[in-house]
């Protein structure tokens, strides 16, 4: 007897689409806990089994992580990002640093060529936010602010393929930055990104690429084999 593909109900597909939209739009950011199953049932007006099927489908695709006793969390913004997270979870930290350097150097070079006044306004604001996060001493806030600045630099390249690839790799890169920064911020590890933003503002492609690629290469792997240690880390 030949195997046939089971058909998912149209209602379940609609719920999956709605939940995916919440994730991809940023309404449910990566790292956040989504509403509980009873809350989703009430909000969507569907049966518990339909909600459960939709959540499991998105977990299978790598967008959600179901943690027993804690809740369900957003771990990726697309199916490809979920695959990237699983594929590179145990990658060599030095290789991740080198990949980040290559992507960000090219993005910064293109940003210096193509940036708009709107891009510069955003980069300036995010640079200030990053500096304030560092001054606050909150490591998690700094990691988030640093990631936002780097994503804005890539977006300013106005290369849709590069921007999407960087977004899909985003949690891989952020997880290694989080491990590198650790639980507390160290003054000796701060990297000033003001020169990077200035190079993009001045449309200096060579200097922008150099600033973007400088920090990840001054690194080595720590004795535990998991952390990238740099003379100047901090993003």
């Amino acid at each position: 007897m030949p195997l046939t593909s089971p058909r998912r109900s149209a209602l379940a597909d609609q719920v999956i689409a709605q939940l995916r939209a919440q994730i991809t739009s940023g309404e449910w950011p990566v790292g956040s806990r989504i509403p509980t199953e009873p809350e989703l049932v009430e909000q969507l007006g569907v049966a518990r089994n339909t909600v459960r099927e939709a959540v499991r489908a998105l977990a299978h695709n790598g967008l959600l992580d179901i943690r027993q006793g804690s809740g369900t969390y957003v771990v990726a913004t697309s199916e490809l990002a979920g695959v990237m997270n699983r594929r590179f979870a145990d990658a060599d930290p030095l290789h991740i640093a080198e990949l980040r350097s290559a992507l960000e150097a090219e993005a910064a070079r293109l940003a210096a060529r193509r940036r708009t006044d709107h891009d510069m306004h955003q980069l300036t604001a995010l640079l200030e936010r990053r500096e304030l996060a560092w001054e606050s001493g909150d490591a998690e806030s700094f990691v988030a602010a640093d990631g936002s600045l780097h994503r804005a630099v890539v977006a300013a390249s106005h290369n849709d393929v590069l921007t999407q690839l960087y977004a899909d790799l985003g949690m891989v890169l952020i997880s290694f930055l989080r491990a590198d920064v650790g639980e507390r911020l160290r003054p000796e590890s701060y990297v000033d990104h003001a020169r990077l933003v200035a190079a993009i503002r001045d449309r200096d492609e060579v200097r922008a690429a150099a600033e973007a690629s400088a920090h990840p290469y001054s690194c080595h792997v720590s004795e535990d084999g998991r952390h990238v240690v740099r003379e100047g880390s901090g993003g």
Side-chain angles (χ1 to χ4, degrees):
M1 185 178 189
L3 295 175
T4 59
S5 177
R7 297 190 61 179
R8 180 188 288 135
S9 71
L11 185 58
D13 284 337
Q14 291 176 26
V15 172
I16 290 171
Q18 289 190 59
L19 299 187
R20 183 187 285 110
Q22 290 292 102
I23 296 169
T24 57
S25 68
E27 288 292 323
W28 294 343
V30 171
S32 67
R33 184 172 61 182
I34 73 170
T36 64
E37 190 175 276
E39 289 172 336
L40 289 174
V41 167
E42 181 177 354
Q43 292 174 22
L44 295 166
V46 298
R48 182 182 295 264
N49 286 343
T50 302
V51 168
R52 190 170 300 165
E53 180 182 353
V55 169
R56 286 177 176 171
L58 291 173
H60 177 74
N61 289 345
L63 276 69
L64 297 176
D65 180 25
I66 303 171
R67 304 174 190 173
Q68 295 300 326
S70 177
T72 300
Y73 294 80
V74 179
V75 292
T77 55
S78 72
E79 280 78 359
L80 180 56
V83 171
M84 293 285 196
N85 288 338
R86 293 192 297 269
R87 175 64 180 83
F88 297 117
D90 297 318
D92 186 324
L94 182 59
H95 294 171
I96 295 294
E98 290 170 347
L99 172 63
R100 180 184 177 195
S101 176
L103 292 176
E104 292 184 359
E106 180 61 14
R109 184 182 69 81
L110 292 172
R113 180 191 305 175
R114 301 170 177 170
R115 62 85 174 165
T116 64
D117 290 343
H118 175 74
D119 292 328
M120 286 312 308
H121 178 76
Q122 187 172 27
L123 288 171
T124 301
L126 290 174
L127 176 64
E128 181 179 358
R129 175 186 164 197
R130 179 181 184 269
E131 292 172 345
L132 290 173
W134 178 271
E135 292 171 4
S136 75
D138 187 319
E140 192 62 30
S141 294
F142 175 74
V143 168
D146 184 73
S148 294
L149 176 61
H150 284 280
R151 286 191 295 274
V153 169
V154 176
S157 73
H158 294 279
N159 181 311
D160 292 341
V161 176
L162 178 57
T163 300
Q164 187 58 58
L165 175 61
Y166 192 85
D168 287 334
L169 279 166
M171 285 311 297
V172 175
L173 303 177
I174 287 294
S175 66
F176 278 91
L177 174 61
R178 182 176 289 110
D180 190 18
V181 169
E183 296 182 359
R184 65 182 182 87
L185 302 176
R186 304 179 302 278
E188 67 276 9
S189 69
Y190 182 69
V191 175
D192 185 0
H193 284 346
R195 293 189 299 273
L196 170 60
V197 173
I200 295 173
R201 181 194 62 223
D202 296 342
R203 300 191 185 279
D204 189 329
E205 296 182 32
V206 173
R207 184 156 54 95
E211 288 292 338
S213 63
H215 52 91
Y217 274 124
S218 58
C219 62
H220 62 276
V221 180
S222 61
E223 291 182 0
D224 64 11
R226 292 303 305 157
H227 296 174
V228 175
V229 181
R230 299 191 282 270
E231 292 180 2
S233 72

